[in-house]
Amino acid sequence: MEKAKEFLLVNDEASESVSRLAVRPHPAGIDQILLEDIVLKGIRVDRAEPGLVVCSFKVPPRLADRAGGFATGAISYLVDEVGGAVIHVEGLPMNVSVDMSISFLSTAKPDDELEITGSLLGQRGGYSGTLVLIRNKATGEVVAEGRHSLFGKRTSKL
């Protein structure tokens, strides 16, 4: 238990890093969350078509974990966002994540260029399944593979 407590303690270096973050206030009326600013800043959509989204992302130093690798929490957030973008329909509310399963297969470091591919696995009613693959562009190595299930209302056929 003591080891766990020690691990969870915030050291001076981490505390100072967080205090140096420049966080811009959001304009009134816009419901964005801080996580979007931290994780998604710098993502580029290279290709988008029904059932497919392909993005490029250079891992910024701010998303490194204590060991210097790409933080798994940030990877999870990318799987959630890209998986949701694959099935998003303009004019409809975003779907709700029901389940995510992510396999972390290798590591990425700050300044690594990644390709993030989200594809539709299938839909039935308001339920959709997507697959998000995060690959290192230089090595071709798969960093993570995520399966993402979402639910949302669909437009009426009437």
Side-chain angles (χ1 to χ4, degrees), residues 17-151:
S17 293
V18 170
S19 67
R20 286 193 310 257
L21 286 174
V23 179
R24 300 178 326 274
H26 293 295
I30 296 180
D31 295 329
Q32 290 182 325
I33 59 172
L34 178 63
L35 215 46
E36 289 175 350
D37 288 337
I38 293 173
V39 179
L40 294 180
K41 186 176 183 179
I43 196 166
R44 262 185 343 270
V45 177
D46 299 325
R47 185 173 161 202
E49 57 188 60
L52 179 71
V53 174
V54 180
C55 302
S56 295
F57 185 71
K58 185 175 181 180
V59 179
R62 70 178 177 276
L63 297 181
D65 59 17
R66 288 183 181 184
F70 189 20
T72 55
I75 292 171
S76 300
Y77 191 78
L78 286 171
V79 168
D80 188 25
E81 290 294 315
V82 173
V86 169
I87 60 166
H88 180 65
V89 177
E90 191 66 35
L92 291 179
M94 291 296 289
N95 292 301
V96 177
S97 296
V98 176
D99 181 58
M100 278 197 314
S101 173
I102 304 169
S103 298
F104 301 98
L105 303 168
S106 67
T107 59
K109 302 281 186 214
D111 296 322
D112 282 355
E113 186 76 28
L114 305 178
E115 179 181 69
I116 306 166
T117 305
S119 56
L120 177 66
L121 293 175
Q123 285 184 313
R124 178 167 232 157
Y127 182 82
S128 301
T130 64
L131 174 69
V132 178
L133 194 64
I134 301 175
R135 184 182 306 272
N136 185 313
K137 280 188 175 183
T139 65
E141 199 171 31
V142 175
V143 175
E145 177 186 87
R147 291 183 180 259
H148 189 197
S149 302
L150 303 104
F151 184 80

